[in-house]
Amino acid sequence: MSDCSLTPADPGFSVSSFLQTPFLTDMYQLTMCYAYWRGGIHNKKAAFELFFRKCPFKGEYAIFAGLDTVLRFLEKFHFSDSDIEYLKTIIPHAEPEFFEYVKGIDGSCLKVYSLREGTMCFPSVPLLRVEGPLAVAQLVETTLLNIIGFPTLVATNAARMRHVAGPEKTLLEFGLRRAQGPDGGMSASVYAIMGGFDKTSNVLAGKLFGLELSGTHAHAFVMSYQNMKDVKNRKLRRNIKKEIASSSSSSSSSSCPSLEESISSEAEEVDFVELVLSIKSRLGIDGTQEGELAAFTAYAISFPNGFCALVDTYNTLKSGVPNFICVSVALVECGYEPGSVRLDSGDLAYLSIKSKEMFREYAEKANCEKLKEAQVVASNDINETTIVALNEQHHQIDVFGIGTNLVTCQGQPSLGCVYKLVELEGSPRIKLSDEMGKTTLPSRKVAFRLHSSDDRPLLDILVRVEADDTFKAPQSGEKVLCRHPFVESKRCYVIPERVEQLHSCVWDGRCLMEKRYSCVEIRDYVNAQMNAQREDRLRIINPTPYKVSLTQDLFEHTHELMMECMPIPVLEM
């Protein structure tokens, strides 16, 4: 069993753990805690459910994230001596016994049921169910909402961008400098990867979570060079690793030197500056900015295996791309890959198409077929809508670098999760509202996902948990009546081929998760679910809603309680 220990090498390490204390809460949680205690009901057995009412980004799904951080929080949830001293200053009239009670509170008295992290989820389906003493289960509300809301929003945003970009494109998270503070930046990097991105520019996230990093250079690097004389280190060693590996495989290992020894002894150094200039002359490329060419040359010497040139400092097509081509062809002639250009301004679709045309044109002129493999990276305030527009223009971008609109969730700043009491001492609780969408579903519930014969999700159905913690699960191959939560006429039968239970107990005074999933493992899980969904539910314009239904038993239970709790008005003349 996992012990939830806090270790940076652990894929679940929480970057904001020092902030996750019982005081990461709203004042009214503490005042309610005192009032519960003062009223003698603080130890009543309660059940709360955390869910959202409406999907983000005008879509019809979300990607649940933040569970691992929830478990970290519960593992160390307790009030320190300094917390108690501060609590005495903000509730000064409280009895000494109350502070003794608070000092003894920790996470061992709680039980938490949850979806698996990375699960595609829908309105009204509980993301978490928290059971325990009323006062303690209430105390964790704000922290859990904070821990779940932003991660779920970022993971959903990333999944949507992955979907519109397509599985073959590489997505890079570039948002640290635009994020809401260090914690926002770290959280966004992690949950963007979970949602479907490939790499991040955030070095600390790479170190702590083992994420793949990606980075090139800024305009400042290009502007730091004026001419080729500024390139002080002119030499580049040829890459003959492939040739040596090929010849070694057909020779006796006892008579051949090691690959490393062969490279160090046989690979010659070339004057890369002279090579670039000779290629430029051979290709007849004139009028480009020499400082830019020098910068690209210097960068290629430093990173010949990962050369990416930012080409819009002066003029993308008249200078940046031609200069890149000269350096790229030189790299290929030295045994390296051709690298990529990065477009950071202008008409990205047009520039990507023209760049690829120039790669093909000069590949013929230089007799360098490899140049056709050079990639185009695009950045510049890209969001989901931008990618869709680029798709319509038949862009030729291979890699998207997305920052601000990903990590700040430009399309929707908050998920709007809520945390509602659904049961107290075995008695159901319901919140009524004039807005039917804000009426809560009473009692503890467990969700099941019903799958069709081709293993696509048909709908989620909520089942009531009985007082003895048992529930009647739908069975594969058996007809299930599925009811709309509030509209009596909306109902259907489903005969599922497969039934998937979505909730499991992840905390019972200690962490019960046997496996900690890495960001990459969760990303694979998200991708699998996205691929299994019907396309009309994923589209960005007028997506088809996914059904969340109730069993007949829960439907009747809910409506009986609504009638019981709803005041009957008296009409007066």
Side-chain angles (χ1 to χ4, degrees):
M1 295 288 184
S2 172
D3 62 359
C4 289
S5 59
L6 206 62
T7 309
D10 191 315
F13 174 72
S14 174
V15 297
S16 58
S17 58
F18 69 99
L19 290 175
Q20 292 161 14
T21 78
F23 278 171
L24 184 65
T25 190
D26 294 307
M27 180 63 185
Y28 88 132
Q29 306 291 6
L30 295 169
T31 58
M32 280 193 290
C33 181
Y34 174 68
Y36 286 144
W37 180 85
R38 191 78 171 77
I41 63 171
H42 56 291
N43 281 326
K44 283 193 172 185
K45 184 180 179 182
F48 288 83
E49 290 179 346
L50 188 154
F51 59 95
F52 59 89
R53 296 188 176 106
K54 188 175 181 181
C55 291
F57 309 113
K58 299 180 181 179
E60 289 297 339
Y61 67 91
I63 302 297
F64 170 56
L67 173 61
D68 198 86
T69 308
V70 168
L71 298 176
R72 305 286 174 179
F73 165 68
L74 293 175
E75 192 272 338
K76 64 187 190 66
F77 178 73
H78 73 280
F79 289 84
S80 66
D81 291 340
S82 64
D83 290 339
I84 299 299
E85 291 306 309
Y86 181 67
L87 187 60
K88 290 177 180 178
T89 68
I90 58 178
I91 311 181
H93 62 282
E95 296 85 343
E97 292 82 3
F98 171 69
F99 300 113
E100 287 300 315
Y101 159 71
V102 171
K103 191 172 182 179
I105 289 175
D106 61 27
S108 65
C109 62
L110 296 177
K111 181 181 286 191
V112 178
Y113 295 81
S114 174
L115 306 179
R116 175 180 167 181
E117 188 152 18
T119 296
M120 184 177 281
C121 52
F122 305 95
S124 299
V125 174
L127 307 180
L128 299 177
R129 184 172 85 240
V130 179
E131 300 179 8
L134 175 60
V136 183
Q138 180 76 69
L139 265 176
V140 299
E141 174 187 6
T142 298
T143 315
L144 296 186
L145 289 170
N146 178 273
I147 289 173
I148 295 296
F150 182 66
T152 299
L153 204 61
V154 172
T156 306
N157 202 16
R160 291 174 65 87
M161 290 181 181
R162 164 55 69 192
H163 177 66
V164 296
E168 74 283 357
K169 303 300 181 185
T170 299
L171 300 184
L172 310 177
E173 183 272 309
F174 280 176
L176 180 59
R177 65 182 58 197
R178 302 282 189 254
Q180 284 93 341
D183 181 57
M186 289 297 297
S187 296
S189 295
V190 171
Y191 296 113
I193 299 297
M194 285 187 183
F197 274 54
D198 297 289
K199 301 178 184 181
T200 178
S201 65
N202 185 338
V203 178
L204 184 57
K207 176 186 176 183
L208 294 180
F209 298 97
L211 306 180
E212 284 193 71
L213 295 173
S214 178
T216 56
H217 60 79
H219 295 103
F221 185 84
V222 177
M223 293 185 288
S224 298
Y225 289 80
Q226 288 187 305
N227 52 56
M228 295 298 264
K229 293 179 181 179
D230 289 337
V231 184
K232 304 304 181 184
N233 180 8
R234 302 166 63 96
K235 301 293 185 180
L236 177 65
R237 189 177 297 277
R238 289 188 183 277
N239 181 16
I240 61 171
K241 188 179 295 185
K242 291 181 180 178
E243 289 81 354
I244 294 174
S246 176
S247 62
S248 297
S249 64
S250 60
S251 304
S252 170
S253 59
S254 61
S255 61
C256 291
S258 69
L259 181 59
E260 291 77 9
E261 290 171 346
S262 297
I263 292 173
S264 62
S265 62
E266 296 183 26
E268 64 171 310
E269 285 189 333
V270 300
D271 188 323
F272 195 68
V273 172
E274 285 300 321
L275 180 58
V276 169
L277 290 174
S278 68
I279 290 171
K280 182 175 184 289
S281 175
R282 194 170 83 216
L283 297 179
I285 293 176
D286 296 317
T288 62
Q289 220 281 343
E290 186 178 352
E292 180 181 60
L293 180 63
F296 292 174
T297 301
Y299 200 79
I301 291 171
S302 300
F303 296 98
N305 288 307
F307 176 54
C308 181
L310 180 59
V311 294
D312 71 334
T313 305
Y314 301 110
N315 186 290
T316 299
L317 296 180
K318 292 181 179 180
S319 182
V321 174
N323 279 336
F324 163 80
I325 288 170
C326 295
V327 177
S328 183
V329 171
L331 281 173
V332 172
E333 290 191 6
C334 289
Y336 297 94
E337 295 300 313
S340 58
V341 298
R342 179 158 75 95
L343 307 174
D344 195 46
S345 61
D347 187 330
L348 298 180
Y350 173 77
L351 292 174
S352 70
I353 293 169
K354 295 302 291 185
S355 295
K356 288 293 182 79
E357 286 179 0
M358 293 174 70
F359 297 163
R360 292 190 291 271
E361 175 190 349
Y362 281 97
E364 298 298 329
K365 288 183 179 181
N367 192 25
C368 178
E369 282 295 304
K370 272 288 196 178
L371 182 59
K372 295 179 181 178
E373 300 174 12
Q375 292 194 318
V376 174
V377 181
S379 45
N380 188 33
D381 287 333
I382 293 172
N383 60 21
E384 181 182 23
T385 305
T386 305
I387 298 174
V388 172
L390 289 168
N391 290 342
E392 293 171 350
Q393 297 170 67
H394 307 290
H395 72 86
Q396 293 190 28
I397 297 165
D398 303 290
V399 181
F400 288 98
I402 307 177
T404 305
N405 297 319
L406 171 64
V407 304
T408 64
C409 295
Q410 168 228 24
Q412 181 168 332
S414 175
L415 179 59
C417 283
V418 293
Y419 185 83
K420 298 298 181 183
L421 180 69
V422 295
E423 199 169 281
L424 188 65
E425 288 292 314
S427 175
R429 293 293 188 267
I430 190 171
K431 174 193 173 297
L432 300 179
S433 173
D434 292 336
E435 297 179 47
M436 190 58 71
K438 287 194 172 183
T439 296
T440 62
L441 299 172
S443 297
R444 297 177 296 158
K445 295 170 284 296
V446 60
F448 292 86
R449 186 155 294 167
L450 308 186
H451 293 259
S452 64
S453 57
D454 59 355
D455 209 26
R456 291 189 181 276
L458 292 168
L459 55 78
D460 288 1
I461 189 166
L462 299 177
V463 177
R464 180 161 61 127
V465 178
E466 302 293 342
D468 60 357
D469 294 336
T470 62
F471 49 84
K472 187 176 181 181
Q475 300 297 312
S476 59
E478 294 185 6
K479 186 163 64 175
V480 181
L481 178 59
C482 304
R483 304 296 304 267
H484 185 283
F486 303 114
V487 182
E488 191 167 5
S489 61
K490 291 187 176 182
R491 54 187 179 169
C492 65
Y493 283 114
V494 173
I495 303 177
E497 182 72 18
R498 182 168 71 89
V499 176
E500 177 186 6
Q501 183 173 327
L502 299 182
H503 291 104
S504 62
C505 187
V506 297
W507 178 270
D508 190 1
R510 61 190 180 92
C511 180
L512 298 183
M513 290 183 64
E514 296 184 3
K515 176 176 174 56
R516 283 269 161 41
Y517 294 100
S518 70
C519 294
V520 173
E521 288 173 319
I522 294 171
R523 180 181 66 195
D524 292 342
Y525 175 53
V526 171
N527 287 339
Q529 292 172 93
M530 295 286 286
N531 292 335
Q533 273 292 352
R534 280 174 20 197
E535 182 61 33
D536 59 309
R537 290 173 177 157
L538 304 178
R539 64 193 179 204
I540 67 169
I541 298 177
N542 297 324
T544 302
Y546 182 86
K547 290 182 177 63
V548 175
S549 302
L550 311 185
T551 61
Q552 179 68 17
D553 168 69
L554 181 55
F555 177 85
E556 293 175 353
H557 174 68
T558 299
H559 285 257
E560 288 172 3
L561 197 61
M562 288 172 64
M563 293 299 101
E564 179 183 324
C565 295
M566 187 176 294
I568 302 175
V570 177
L571 298 181
E572 298 180 356
M573 298 297 294

